[in-house]
Every structure is written in structure tokens, then in C-alpha cells.
Amino acid sequence: MTTRLVLSACAAFASAVSFGDTLIPLDETGLVRMRSGFGSAKSGKSVDGNALRVGGVEYRRGVGTHAPSTHRIAANGNALSFSALVGVDDECGGKGSVVFRVIADGKVVAEVAAQGGEAAKQISADLAGTKRIVLEVTDGGDGMHYDHADWCDAVFSFKDGTKPLSAAEMTRQLGILTPKASPSPRINAPARYGVRPGRPILFKLPVTGLEPIEVSAKGLPGGLSFDPATRILSGSIAKPGEYPVVFSAQNTVAGRVEFKTVTFVVGDRIALTPPMGWNSWNAFAGGVSDAKMRTAVDKIVELGLDAHGYSYVNIDDFWQKNPQNGKSDPTLAGPERNADGTIAPNARFPDMKALADYIHSKGLKAGLYSSPGPYTCGGCTGSWLHELQDAKSYVAWGYDYLKYDWCSYTGVQSGEGHDKYRRPYFLMGRFLAMQPRDIVFSLCQYGWDEVSTWGALAGGNCWRTTGDIFDTWPSVYGGIRAQAALWQYSAPGAWNDADMLVLGRNVWAGKGGGQDDSRLTPNEQYTHMSMWCMFASPLMIGCDLTTIDEFTLSLLTNDEVLAIDQDPLGAGAARVLENADEGTELWARPLADGSIAFAMLNGDEEEKGFSIPFAKLGMRGRWKVRDLWRQRDDGTFGESYSASVPGHATHLVKLSPVDGAGLKPCLRDIRDNAWRLPFDADRAQARGASAGPCAGCD
Ligand code: GLA
């Protein structure tokens, strides 16, 4: 095999490059932004992580991706040329076919088709004066199987000393928008709280404002007690029914008392609003320990995150033994189960019960993680053949949340068709429901087999809808796009889980197991948080709380934004309008108080002005608009509401009907537009006319 040396391909452009011009390898142009149809684009490696190899030749430098793939570069008129050797990686065994394209300001300026097994081909383009460059790989028209596409020795030349703009430089970036916390008391509790009959309740009233704040509870049913000093409500209610409790909060600042009714709904459903909390995985991955969990608990309280409603503190993978890693890490070694078959936590977790007790002592709830397979994704012991026994251990230790991650279950699965994917979740769902303790059941199987359609039936309170997300725009934006058809399955107690938050310092941004700041731009972080709240997704903070910065904290603690996530109606947002050419989209969800939350998402890199067109969406009358991030009224509007949204940002607003405003009768709720508008447009095209809004049902 021949090995090519770095950047030899730029020789082809020697004539276009003059002394002093800057050569910029493709992998130094913000690769985290490159979209890849499978996996993620890699520097110096194929998409599967092998050495780049095309037609038997190995290339040391370049980028491996998978069709369909796009990479956008803002050149600002400073680019001169691009050159690469392209082909399908040899790891596809001669299969696959793709087309590589270089697009300059919207025009295809170079195009090369490649088949698996062929030698790499030269692609080069003159980019003088170009503002926006797109590198694209399509599937060649025959589907994306085996389309592992390599841009080898890929290099741009830029005018002397210039370079492409970074993602953050391409557009105006939003700073902190959440206003400073008001000194007046505010109760941030969800309106409805589900519990099963007779199961222990632990509920800490989330209150913000200047301390000391005096709180009280009225209308407590028998069996419940409330401690105003700790703000913890505890006890249990034996009889099914609805029990409204009126909480009040008062301090010397506000001239009035703040009231909030929380209805304790005793029945067979729990998690009536999406669970909020913190999970160890994105902050520590396989490095979690009892000490780190306790620090996270302390930080949640110290930072006041609990006062905004974050209540679960969840250990992810690596509290169990790990036979593989245990060979080099003694803290993970030892017998995986005790003589009686009960699960044996690893040495980093000396006392699971004591940890749960500690979490509970702060009014918070404890969560843990397992797999229906013999081993978890990190290779720790799973629950295979010990499901009931494990459920009982969780109860004995006092845990309140189980994330149940498919992982190695593939190796032991049985059944045919749908059954194959569902069995382990139905099984654990039943075992958990039998327990004398409410345990939120979080399904983690990456959205397979349309889990949104059966997750609740299996006893799930939430289910992951995608593979793992990371702190990159393609990952978060891909996760958002994947939710488009899932809104209909979101309901109180049954939530689409778009995965844990990747805001703030996390291990994916760092190198070699260390942490670094989220690679998402500030705008992208607004989109992440806004959309998760629109989806009514569980909100699991994923960053290290000991190093959290003001900006991240401001994203996590905006009570008006969080109230969208926690809205008691539980309606997930649908994409009601999209302008694919512009990259802008409108998502909407109805709220319990009759208002509508809209997310104006700009998927393009450049700032875009766009609007919520009332008539088109079947909205009539006047609507009061509240900017939720800024917590500010924007005025009352009768025809449309417009905003200028920076690249990759989301503008989040709540529209409340004024004086009898509402939806046209043809709409059940605002989300009907998700099917109605494309349907109307198709029919209009078929008729050769333009469609009227809600044609025929005014
Ligand atoms: C899977 C899950 C992640 C995390 C890891 C732990 O990848 O999807 O959320 O729990 O396993 O190994």
C-alpha cells in the first residue's frame, strides 16, 4: 500500500496559489459543523474511524464523511481555490457510489462522481470572490448504503492571512437574555403532579426570589405534610383522585403574596410534566463516582437549580462493576452480583442507599441506569435475567428514576418483528409498576421501532427518540429535525425524550476524557434549550456544575422558558411552517391557558427576518406577544408577528389571544397546520390555484 504525504494535492493548484497565500486544510474549517448522513465527519479518518484509504492508497490528511453530507464555509470573498482527491473509502469493500460537489455562492463549480473501489479522483475549484462555499456529497441517486465519502488531502487557499469565518463569526451571537432574577417570590412548581396510590411522595416546592421567603401550603389531604422550613412536602395518599394544594410564598420585597395551586393527581400515571434534573453522563461519562454525585447534589442546591424545578439527580452508566474495564481499573473490578444474585455496585459507589438518602435529604430525587442486556453500553453489568431482582434493589435503596438502555440486548433478544424491540421494556415496565415506589421509567433505545407509538404502553414515562446527541450543530439540529412527526405521541406522563442537554462544559468537547466548553455557539445553545422545551422533552442538565458559567446558567434557569416545557397540557410542538430555501422554520404548541408557544428557528448561518403569518396558520383576531427569553411583552399584533433571528438561533414567543381571538374552527389546535398546509398546497397545485387558509371551513 502506498501512503500519500500531507497536502500533496495542492500541487495541482500551484499556479493559482501565490507566495503568502494561506493554505487551510479542510479539517481546520470547523469540522464539527459538517453534516454526515451517518455517524459524524472525522479528521484524518474515515467515517468509521479507520485510516482514510481510497483505491488502495492511504491518505494521512483529509476528512471522512458519509453521504448525504454538507459542509458550509463562510469565505467572505477571501477564498482563492479548493483542491482534494475524493473517493469512496475502501472500508466499503468496493461498494457505494457518491457525487462530490463544490458549490460557490449557489453555483456548482466542480463535480466528481465516484464508485467504491476506484482510485481517488482530483476535484478542484476556483473560488475567487466567493462568499459562501458548500462542499456536498450526495448518494449518487442509488441510496446512501456504503456511501463512505473521503475528501483526501483537501485544502483551501485563502488570501494572505485570511481564513474562513468561524460559526460564531458568521452571524450576530446572542448574549445573556434571561433577565436577572426578580426579588419577588415566584413559585416554579408544575401545575400537576402525578403519584400512584400509597406510594411515597417527596416534593420540594421550587421557589425563587429574595430570601427569606415564607412559604405555606393550604388544603393538604390527609397523609401529606409540608415543612415550610425545608419546603419539602412528603407522605402518601391512599385514595385515587385529584388533590389541589394551594402554596403561597411571601417576602418583604413584593407587596403581594404569590399563590400557586399544585394538583396532586393520585392515579396510575406519574411524571405528569417532563422530568427535570441532572445526569452524570455528559459531564463525567465513565468517570462518575459517589463523590461526584454528591457534589452535583450540593451544586444543584447552591446554584438554586432546584428552585427552578430541577429535581432528579441521576447516575448514568458506571455505578456497576465492569469486567472489561475492571482489568485496568480496580474500582470497577470484582464480582458483578452477590451470592443471592442482587446487583453489586462498584467500589466508587460504596453505599447506594446512603447516596439516595443524601439526595432525598435535599428534597431531590435519585435516579440510576441499567440495560435490559447482560451489559450496559459502557460494558457494566446489566439487568438481563435479573430484572425483577434489580427493580427490587432500586426500591430497597430508594431510587426514583430508571434509565433503561438497550446496549447489549441485541445479543440476547428474542421474538419476531416489533416484539423483538419491545419485550424487554414491557417486562421492566411491569416490574417497576408493581413496586411500592414510583420509579420514572426512561426508555433508551435510540428511537427504534417507532418507540413513540408504544413507549407509554410499555409503561415508559419517556423514551429517547434518537441516537446520542453531542454538542455540535449537526447533532443538535439533526435531533430537532427528527422530532417533526413525534408531537402526536407527547402527553402527560409520556414524553418524547430528545436526549440530555449538551449545554455547558462536557466531556465530548474535551480531549482524552477531559471537559471543555460546549462546541455549540451561543445561538445554537438557545436553539437547543428552546426546542427541547417546545418538544416537552425531559430536561436533564449534562454539564459539570462545579464549573458552570453565567451564560449556561442563564439558559437553564429562565422560568418562562421552562414553563413551556412544563406546561400541564403536555402537547409537544409540531413544525407548522417551513421555508426550506431560507432554512427557517416555525414550530408551535398549544398551552393549557389557551395561548400558543411559537419557536422561530433559523437553521441558516445568516440572520433571517421571518414571521408568524396569522391568517395562513388559521389564527384570527389579535394576539399579545411575549418574548420568553427576554421575559418582555412585544406588543399586540393582528396580522403577523415578525422577528429578525440570527443564524442558528431560535426566537421563542408566547401568543395569547386578545378579545375573542382564536383559531378557525377547522383547526383542532395550532399543530394541525403541520399536515394542513402541505396538504392544502398539494391540492392547490393539483387544481392550478392557490389555496386559501382553511379553504372551505371559515
Ligand atoms: C448510551 C446512551 C447514553 C449513555 C451511554 C452510557 O450511549 O444512549 O445516553 O447512557 O449509553 O454508556
Side-chain angles (χ1 to χ4, degrees):
M1 180 197 301
T2 343
T3 300
R4 291 191 45 119
L5 286 176
V6 184
L7 304 185
S8 49
C10 65
F13 258 79
S15 56
V17 178
S18 63
F19 180 71
D21 289 341
T22 316
L23 294 181
I24 298 173
L26 173 59
D27 52 340
E28 290 178 11
T29 59
L31 208 55
V32 289
R33 288 181 290 114
M34 183 179 275
R35 288 193 207 155
S36 177
F38 166 84
S40 58
K42 295 190 175 53
S43 166
K45 294 208 164 81
S46 72
V47 74
D48 272 357
N50 300 311
L52 292 166
R53 201 149 59 88
V54 181
V57 180
E58 193 170 306
Y59 297 85
R60 293 229 191 111
R61 193 127 197 197
V63 170
T65 183
H66 195 293
S69 171
T70 46
H71 185 50
R72 295 169 194 278
I73 291 163
N76 234 10
N78 290 321
L80 295 170
S81 61
F82 173 73
S83 152
L85 287 164
V86 293
V88 176
D89 196 281
D90 288 356
E91 69 195 5
C92 298
K95 295 184 189 144
S97 68
V98 295
V99 175
F100 291 84
R101 282 197 190 99
V102 183
I103 303 168
D105 290 333
K107 257 183 47 198
V108 178
V109 291
E111 183 175 290
V112 165
Q115 304 279 338
E118 290 176 352
K121 297 176 183 167
Q122 178 75 41
I123 187 167
S124 30
D126 180 356
L127 298 172
T130 304
K131 288 213 166 66
R132 292 178 63 160
I133 307 164
V134 181
L135 298 187
E136 182 182 78
V137 188
T138 65
D139 66 6
D142 60 354
M144 61 184 268
H145 287 304
Y146 299 104
D147 286 351
H148 297 209
D150 293 348
W151 298 91
C152 305
D153 288 354
V155 65
F156 291 93
S157 86
F158 267 66
K159 280 186 207 155
D160 185 17
T162 61
K163 55 179 193 222
L165 301 183
S166 69
E169 287 165 341
M170 286 185 201
T171 184
R172 171 172 68 96
Q173 293 295 320
L174 299 168
I176 291 178
L177 301 179
T178 304
K180 282 256 167 293
S182 160
S184 304
R186 183 184 156 111
I187 300 176
N188 298 307
R192 293 168 74 76
Y193 185 96
V195 59
R196 295 196 182 96
R199 311 301 207 278
I201 301 177
L202 176 74
F203 170 81
K204 184 174 180 186
L205 188 71
V207 185
T208 47
L210 188 72
E211 298 287 353
I213 301 172
E214 251 180 58
V215 294
S216 72
K218 277 218 174 75
L220 283 177
L224 288 192
S225 62
F226 181 66
D227 177 355
T230 59
R231 295 175 191 166
I232 295 176
L233 179 143
S234 55
S236 67
I237 310 172
K239 211 169 138 232
E242 301 216 345
Y243 301 86
V245 174
V246 182
F247 291 100
S248 67
Q250 193 177 11
N251 64 9
T252 50
V253 187
R256 56 177 184 81
V257 185
E258 159 97 348
F259 292 102
K260 172 112 191 194
T261 302
V262 178
T263 301
F264 290 84
V265 184
V266 183
D268 56 4
R269 283 192 299 165
I270 60 173
L272 295 185
T273 58
M276 291 171 65
W278 179 88
N279 173 297
S280 60
W281 186 247
N282 289 336
F284 301 116
V288 67
S289 65
D290 176 283
K292 284 179 181 156
M293 292 304 301
R294 285 173 193 252
T295 304
V297 172
D298 295 346
K299 277 287 168 187
I300 288 171
V301 177
E302 188 189 314
L303 295 164
L305 288 165
D306 55 343
H308 295 277
Y310 294 95
S311 61
Y312 288 92
V313 194
N314 295 350
I315 323 170
D316 206 274
D317 208 350
F318 283 87
W319 61 267
Q320 319 89 323
K321 301 274 175 46
N322 189 313
Q324 193 55 36
N325 298 20
K327 288 178 193 150
S328 54
D329 180 348
T331 65
L332 299 172
E336 297 169 49
R337 292 190 174 267
N338 303 314
D340 62 358
T342 52
I343 180 102
N346 66 44
R348 302 176 192 168
F349 288 88
D351 190 337
M352 291 292 281
K353 178 165 184 327
L355 177 57
D357 288 348
Y358 184 69
I359 296 172
H360 293 153
S361 74
K362 309 283 177 176
L364 300 170
K365 289 187 266 239
L368 43 56
Y369 165 101
S370 188
S371 168
Y375 291 99
T376 66
C377 296
C380 298
T381 309
S383 295
W384 169 239
L385 302 180
H386 291 273
E387 296 84 358
L388 181 57
Q389 201 168 26
D390 283 359
K392 286 183 172 166
S393 293
Y394 307 153
V395 172
W397 296 334
Y399 281 77
D400 309 288
Y401 191 109
L402 171 68
K403 174 174 165 184
Y404 206 45
D405 194 352
W406 180 278
C407 305
S408 68
Y409 191 77
T410 306
V412 294
Q413 71 189 138
S414 60
E416 290 301 321
H418 296 305
D419 214 18
K420 210 155 103 178
Y421 294 95
R422 302 179 184 186
R423 279 183 178 181
Y425 291 98
F426 275 83
L427 184 73
M428 192 50 128
R430 295 284 183 282
F431 288 155
L432 290 179
M434 280 159 49
Q435 301 309 312
R437 182 173 190 89
D438 283 342
I439 298 184
V440 170
F441 188 29
S442 158
L443 276 53
C444 178
Q445 43 79 288
Y446 337 115
W448 291 345
D449 192 34
E450 299 185 350
V451 62
S452 300
T453 63
W454 57 267
L457 266 182
N461 300 110
C462 53
W463 44 82
R464 279 272 298 278
T465 52
T466 64
D468 294 11
I469 66 156
F470 297 97
D471 57 329
T472 68
W473 177 247
S475 177
V476 169
Y477 187 60
I480 291 170
R481 305 284 298 181
Q483 311 297 317
L486 304 183
W487 53 274
Q488 48 208 308
Y489 306 110
S490 169
W495 309 106
N496 290 308
D497 177 355
D499 203 359
M500 302 171 293
L501 299 170
V502 279
L503 302 164
R505 284 180 81 79
N506 65 77
V507 277
W508 317 122
K511 294 208 165 68
Q515 301 168 335
D516 210 338
D517 292 333
S518 174
R519 291 167 289 175
L520 295 168
T521 64
N523 293 353
E524 292 165 357
Q525 299 188 43
Y526 274 105
T527 291
H528 182 14
M529 189 67 189
S530 303
M531 295 310 295
W532 264 234
C533 291
M534 288 297 285
F535 300 144
S537 174
L539 296 177
M540 289 298 154
I541 299 173
C543 63
D544 184 348
L545 297 176
T546 63
T547 50
I548 195 165
D549 57 70
E550 278 296 297
F551 178 73
T552 309
L553 205 53
S554 78
L555 290 171
L556 297 172
T557 57
N558 188 313
D559 298 315
E560 294 197 20
V561 173
L562 293 173
I564 301 299
D565 183 71
Q566 296 291 302
D567 186 75
L569 197 60
R575 189 172 56 217
V576 292
L577 208 55
E578 183 181 14
N579 183 335
D581 293 338
E582 290 287 297
T584 56
E585 42 199 283
L586 272 186
W587 293 69
R589 63 177 284 193
L591 302 173
D593 67 358
S595 58
I596 303 171
F598 277 96
M600 303 174 74
L601 192 171
N602 178 5
D604 198 81
E605 282 92 356
E606 281 164 24
E607 181 146 355
K608 293 278 162 75
F610 59 113
S611 59
I612 303 173
F614 296 173
K616 188 167 189 174
L617 294 171
M619 297 162 66
R620 52 183 172 201
R622 296 180 65 74
W623 297 76
K624 201 176 106 195
V625 178
R626 177 93 172 155
D627 175 335
L628 295 174
W629 279 108
R630 294 174 182 83
Q631 302 188 353
R632 185 174 78 192
D633 288 336
D634 256 3
T636 301
F637 299 81
E639 278 167 20
S640 69
Y641 169 80
S642 304
S644 184
V645 184
H648 290 186
T650 292
H651 185 59
L652 199 61
V653 285
K654 173 168 158 171
L655 272 63
S656 306
V658 176
D659 297 337
L663 296 184
K664 291 190 172 171
C666 56
L667 296 180
R668 200 179 31 180
D669 74 50
I670 190 73
R671 298 172 300 170
D672 277 346
N673 287 300
W675 63 263
R676 183 184 71 88
L677 288 172
F679 183 69
D680 275 4
D682 285 351
R683 282 157 54 105
Q685 205 179 16
R687 285 197 310 258
S690 74
C694 279
C697 74
D698 284 279

